[in-house]
Amino acid sequence: VAGPGSTGAVASVEVLSAGLAAGGPTNFVAMDLKQAPASYRLDVVAYLELGLPAEAQAASAALALVAAAKRQLSAARALGGERGLSFRCYAPAGLDHAVCLPCSEDVAARARYHQLLRLPKVPLLLPECALPWADEPHSRAGGKLINPHLNCGPRPGWWKGSESTTRSVFIRGMYEYSHYMQDNTDDNGWGCAYRALQTSVSWYRMQYYTEKDIPGIQDIQRLLKRIDEAHKDIVIGSKKWIGTVEGMYLLQDYLGVECKMMYCQDTSDMASQVPQMLNHLATEGTPIMMGAGQYAYTLVGLCFDSASGEAGFMIVDPHYTGKDELKNITQKGWVGWKNLEWFEKMTEGGFINCCLPNAPAAPSTSEQLRPAVGARGVPR
């Protein structure tokens, strides 16, 4: 692997075609398949030094990947024998490096890895949590923008807080950004809380806490009609508003997660409760649904100066009606840092309600490290 005219080490990588069974072209030699050979699934990852020329990086990567593949193949033959063995690469939250693990499809093996790596007992090492190939989407992705807030920086551009007393905390993991006019539904002007709820549910899906689908707006209305006495007469398909309290009901019933409600009379009251919100992000790591006056938002990060009390809020705004173009969304502030004055304007001095959902508790021993809640589908 090297560019034209390059010098230095050149690594040659032999690729075995996967098209053998399909009758496609292959560089396999003639094989006697009367006795099927053991099947080994190898998965390798390599770190590259920043600043190297492209051809040097390619050569370094090839050498490292081939060496890693050889080590895995040797281990697979020793551990798996004729039964075969699978390796998968992971970059779990809480570790500063990737790991390649065998047999992660086995529940007992995952439990041992969690203990050895001191990982929390949440779904981090399921086979579907493995690092995807470069052109592969997240296995639970639905085609919407994922984590658009990452393009907004760790602190607001206007931040004046002290370096020593400023702390920034964000949700852990991934979510998809739901907003007005998606899913072939015109909810402009009334569907913001539905969209904020969908964003929250996507977080639980993408962390593999649940296999349940993200409910559509009419699905949410059906759920509310069933579980909430106040909405027993809701017309399915109507433009009925919902709020943060309804969002809490739905998270509790649909996903089975516990939620806390935080009621703020105004922005001054919310400012006094920022440390509680900061602690939620640091410990639970889940998105916070916010009802600010007549508007709904999702909070995915906080920047707080404990000395001055200054706070910045990373807001995902569901009121956006355009295409999923990241640059346009972040530059125009649909996803970005907001201050208390912005909330004061949005609420016109009114109330702010916050729904703080918990991450699900650790699974039971018999189901350890499987997805914790949910089954596929929504009621019809």
Side-chain angles (χ1 to χ4, degrees):
V1 178
S6 62
T7 59
V10 177
S12 174
V13 181
E14 295 291 335
V15 179
L16 299 179
S17 171
L20 180 63
T26 174
N27 59 354
F28 278 89
V29 297
M31 298 174 64
D32 180 4
L33 298 179
K34 292 180 180 179
Q35 289 186 341
S39 175
Y40 302 122
R41 181 191 187 279
L42 307 184
D43 192 8
V44 292
V45 64
Y47 286 92
L48 300 179
E49 182 180 347
L50 291 176
L52 290 178
E55 59 268 20
Q57 284 196 335
S60 176
L63 289 169
L65 293 173
V66 169
K70 287 180 177 179
R71 288 193 299 271
Q72 287 187 10
L73 186 58
S74 176
R77 286 169 175 164
L79 297 173
E82 296 182 357
R83 295 179 291 110
L85 199 70
S86 294
F87 283 84
R88 293 177 179 84
C89 293
Y90 298 87
L95 287 184
D96 294 329
H97 56 84
V99 291
C100 295
L101 304 172
C103 306
S104 61
E105 66 276 6
D106 181 72
V107 177
R110 290 200 299 273
R112 290 195 299 272
Y113 296 144
H114 274 255
Q115 184 178 14
L116 289 170
L117 298 172
R118 299 188 177 185
L119 296 174
K121 293 181 180 180
V122 297
L124 294 175
L125 301 179
L126 291 168
E128 55 265 42
C129 296
L131 291 172
W133 294 95
D135 57 348
E136 286 183 346
H138 188 286
S139 63
R140 296 282 177 85
K144 299 176 181 178
L145 287 178
I146 296 175
N147 286 18
H149 72 280
L150 295 180
N151 283 61
C152 300
R155 296 180 184 178
W158 38 263
W159 192 253
K160 297 180 180 179
S162 168
E163 184 73 27
S164 61
T165 56
T166 291
R167 183 186 181 194
S168 293
V169 182
F170 298 88
I171 63 167
R172 294 194 298 269
M174 290 182 279
Y175 65 92
E176 286 192 311
Y177 174 31
S178 291
H179 58 77
Y180 280 167
M181 306 299 289
Q182 289 179 326
D183 312 315
N184 298 315
T185 301
D186 183 357
D187 56 327
N188 189 4
W190 57 272
C192 55
Y194 293 92
R195 300 302 187 174
L197 175 64
Q198 290 176 335
T199 296
S200 292
V201 173
S202 77
W203 183 91
Y204 286 89
R205 274 184 55 80
M206 299 190 81
Q207 272 52 251
Y208 301 97
Y209 282 118
T210 183
E211 293 183 353
K212 284 192 172 182
D213 297 325
I214 297 174
I217 289 178
Q218 291 191 21
D219 298 320
I220 293 171
Q221 291 175 340
R222 290 187 186 95
L223 287 164
L224 272 178
K225 189 179 185 73
R226 177 176 61 83
I227 67 174
D228 185 17
E229 180 68 19
H231 288 82
K232 65 180 181 180
D233 296 324
I234 189 173
V235 177
I236 308 304
S238 67
K239 298 181 179 181
K240 175 71 174 179
W241 288 24
I242 65 171
T244 308
V245 173
E246 288 83 1
M248 178 190 69
Y249 293 158
L250 288 157
L251 286 172
Q252 289 176 331
D253 182 82
Y254 189 57
L255 296 184
V257 298
E258 293 299 321
C259 303
K260 299 177 182 177
M261 286 298 298
M262 185 175 75
Y263 301 97
C264 307
Q265 294 182 355
D266 51 30
T267 54
S268 297
D269 190 14
M270 185 173 78
S272 69
Q273 300 197 57
V274 164
Q276 180 181 342
M277 300 165 72
L278 197 74
N279 181 67
H280 169 84
L281 293 175
T283 56
E284 299 294 334
T286 66
I288 297 175
M289 285 185 62
M290 305 183 75
Q294 297 184 14
Y295 303 97
Y297 305 97
T298 305
L299 176 74
V300 297
L302 269 172
C303 185
F304 180 61
D305 181 5
S306 57
S308 66
E310 183 180 11
F313 303 83
M314 177 59 73
I315 295 297
V316 175
D317 189 341
H319 300 90
Y320 176 65
T321 59
K323 297 180 180 179
D324 281 0
E325 297 174 348
L326 181 61
K327 184 177 180 180
N328 183 55
I329 288 169
T330 55
Q331 285 188 348
K332 293 189 176 181
W334 294 104
V335 174
W337 289 106
K338 309 297 181 184
N339 55 22
L340 285 170
E341 287 73 20
W342 180 84
F343 279 101
E344 182 73 24
K345 179 180 178 181
M346 292 297 103
T347 62
E348 297 180 345
F351 69 91
I352 300 168
N353 292 335
C354 298
C355 174
L356 287 64
N358 293 343
S364 64
T365 303
S366 61
E367 292 295 314
Q368 193 175 39
L369 310 179
R370 293 186 184 276
V373 294
R376 187 173 299 282
V378 294
R380 295 293 177 186

